[in-house]
Amino acid sequence: MSPKKKSEYAVPKLKDFSTAALDEAVKDLLAAVVREAREVTSESDWKIFRDRWMARANGFLTQVNTLWLKAAPKDAKRDVGQRVNEAKKRVDETIAAALERMQTAASASRLDAERIDVTLPGIRRPLGSEHPVIKTMNEIVAVFRDLGYSVEEGPEIETDYYNFEALNFPPNHPARDTQDTLFIANQESKPLRDRLLLRTHTSPVQIRTMEKMKPPVRVVCPGKVHRNDAPDATHSPIFHQVEGLAVDTNITFCDLKGTLDHAMKALFGSSVKTRFYPSFFPFTEPSADVQISCIFCGGRGYRDGGPCRNCKASGWIELLGCGMVDPNVYGFVDYDPKKVSGFAFGMGVERIAILKYGVDDIQLFFNGDVRFLEQFA
Ligand SMILES: [Zn+2]
């Protein structure tokens, strides 16, 4: 019987107040309380059980008082009183013991649930590590930091002025067509130079740096850039560049060559050679593309008995662009081109990471696949 149901026990009216009849009634009463106590399994059970027996209004003990003690004839009252008191004491004890038994069981099961097995192996949380692109970018920055360059950063959302105009791309300059630019929408009402776009190179940081700093300037500008390119194995709409700028008196193309030759050796090993090819960028004059000797075939153009795929058998890999800062650019930042000269260079971080780590698809850097990324940890 659940304690929630009605009790099977009822306090009987006594007709006979003899010792024997009283003993019999007390025996039934105690048997009932012990039986009900055994069925208590929770604290709420126990409260129902307690109230049934102890409630002042109509609990079994109150009924015992009324039906047995008050109803007893005068000459039996003393004896009945004694037995009733003893019985009440036993009932009290039984009810208290039931609560204790239940609380002990509950705390034992709680302890059981909270048991800690100190012999189990701990939970090891894997340590994070640098993303290969960030790692490569930091390596490039470190090479130039060792040469005395400081780091400058700029906004990813740029104005047309900083991204193009101040870098000597006038409006309608054909070089703008080579950069598939992502423009921010609904800006037709603004003058062209104030319109916002996602920067297509880190070069605007050069302008921002020269605006706030007088020569000598030696900075590298690492950061994220955007082009409207469909993603494939070699293209991504987001990639990273490290741009460099050095402006001082008497800086020559020799300084540029020496600096980049040193940087490529620091990044790819001391046996790497560099060569410079004429090129064109609006903000440098003269401009050059830099090639390094192929790190896969050692510049021989062939390996494993066949032509080298990585350099298309040429022995050279094109890696970055550079040049002497175009004197027109100094006009935008209030430098005197008769007094200062300098060079600038820019390289794609993913391109360098692909070469360093032998990755064959640029998308792997952006997919977030832990199986790929953890190889660089
Ligand atoms: Zn090669």
Side-chain angles (χ1 to χ4, degrees):
M1 184 205 80
S2 157
K4 291 194 177 70
K5 290 183 192 156
K6 217 164 171 286
S7 176
E8 286 164 1
Y9 179 74
V11 180
K13 283 185 180 173
L14 293 183
K15 289 178 187 123
D16 180 357
F17 287 89
S18 71
T19 307
L22 216 52
D23 281 349
E24 191 64 27
V26 167
K27 206 177 101 192
D28 285 352
L29 175 88
L30 293 179
V33 77
V34 167
R35 194 170 58 240
E36 290 187 15
R38 265 203 299 268
E39 285 160 359
V40 168
T41 55
S42 69
E43 201 155 324
S44 58
D45 275 1
W46 178 82
K47 279 180 182 156
I48 294 165
F49 164 63
R50 178 199 59 190
D51 293 345
R52 179 182 296 147
W53 285 84
M54 319 259 284
R56 228 169 258 281
N58 201 29
F60 287 153
L61 293 185
T62 305
Q63 293 178 40
V64 164
N65 250 358
T66 315
L67 298 177
W68 296 359
L69 192 56
K70 284 185 184 159
K74 247 187 191 151
D75 57 340
K77 264 204 168 47
R78 188 187 148 88
D79 193 34
V80 173
Q82 204 174 19
R83 279 158 202 279
V84 164
N85 277 343
E86 265 172 38
K88 277 181 171 174
K89 210 174 134 211
R90 297 278 298 279
V91 168
D92 273 356
E93 285 166 4
T94 308
I95 290 172
L99 178 63
E100 202 184 309
R101 175 177 59 77
M102 210 212 37
Q103 283 174 340
T104 310
S107 90
S109 81
R110 196 170 60 241
L111 280 178
D112 224 38
E114 290 173 3
R115 184 193 298 277
I116 294 168
D117 183 348
V118 295
T119 66
L120 284 174
I123 299 166
R124 284 174 200 269
R125 295 183 193 283
L127 285 175
S129 67
E130 277 179 330
H131 188 280
V133 168
I134 301 301
K135 189 172 167 169
T136 306
M137 191 153 76
N138 288 342
E139 281 171 21
I140 298 167
V141 168
V143 167
F144 290 98
R145 203 180 45 216
D146 291 348
L147 291 172
Y149 285 66
S150 56
V151 175
E152 286 290 328
E153 289 180 306
E156 283 176 42
I157 298 175
E158 264 299 2
T159 59
D160 188 282
Y161 175 77
Y162 283 105
N163 197 75
F164 291 125
E165 189 180 335
L167 287 160
N168 208 28
F169 292 81
N172 307 317
H173 189 288
R176 288 188 174 207
D177 293 339
T178 65
Q179 309 220 8
D180 284 318
T181 308
L182 291 161
F183 287 93
I184 310 285
N186 303 323
Q187 298 190 84
E188 288 74 13
S189 60
K190 289 185 187 170
L192 179 65
R193 56 160 53 188
D194 294 338
R195 290 183 198 170
L196 297 174
L197 48 86
L198 299 183
R199 67 179 180 190
T200 58
H201 46 189
T202 41
S203 311
V205 188
Q206 294 184 22
I207 302 299
R208 289 180 176 277
T209 303
M210 287 191 280
E211 277 182 347
K212 67 179 181 188
M213 222 184 264
K214 289 292 159 199
V217 168
R218 278 179 189 78
V219 292
V220 278
C221 321
K224 196 183 290 168
V225 301
H226 306 260
R227 305 257 174 109
N228 188 18
D229 277 334
D232 63 25
T234 52
H235 293 85
S236 165
I238 295 175
F239 57 101
H240 299 76
Q241 282 186 339
V242 175
E243 193 101 0
L245 174 70
V247 181
D248 205 343
T249 48
N250 297 322
I251 288 198
T252 67
F253 202 90
C254 278
D255 299 311
L256 170 59
K257 284 187 78 171
T259 301
L260 290 182
D261 188 70
H262 168 83
M264 293 303 110
K265 284 179 165 61
L267 287 171
F268 293 103
S270 56
S271 61
V272 160
K273 296 185 186 69
T274 51
R275 68 175 184 181
F276 290 68
Y277 259 63
S279 183
F280 171 78
F281 304 105
F283 40 98
T284 48
E285 179 60 37
S287 305
D289 283 327
V290 182
Q291 300 179 336
I292 62 167
S293 56
C294 178
I295 54 176
F296 299 97
C297 63
R300 285 186 296 274
Y302 59 89
R303 63 182 170 126
D304 305 331
C308 173
R309 280 181 299 114
N310 298 87
C311 61
K312 299 196 177 73
S314 71
W316 295 94
I317 292 175
E318 195 171 307
L319 205 53
L320 62 131
C322 66
M324 301 306 289
V325 177
D326 191 307
N328 287 343
V329 172
Y330 295 132
F332 288 97
V333 295
D334 228 9
Y335 282 14
D336 183 350
K338 291 194 185 73
K339 289 184 181 155
V340 296
S341 58
F343 61 77
F345 55 87
M347 57 192 96
V349 178
E350 282 80 359
R351 173 110 176 96
I352 289 175
I354 280 171
L355 289 174
K356 271 180 84 88
Y357 297 115
V359 175
D360 56 9
D361 185 346
I362 194 174
Q363 298 304 322
L364 288 166
F365 290 129
F366 305 111
N367 289 343
D369 188 331
V370 174
R371 292 168 302 177
F372 169 75
L373 295 174
E374 68 188 359
Q375 298 176 64
F376 302 90

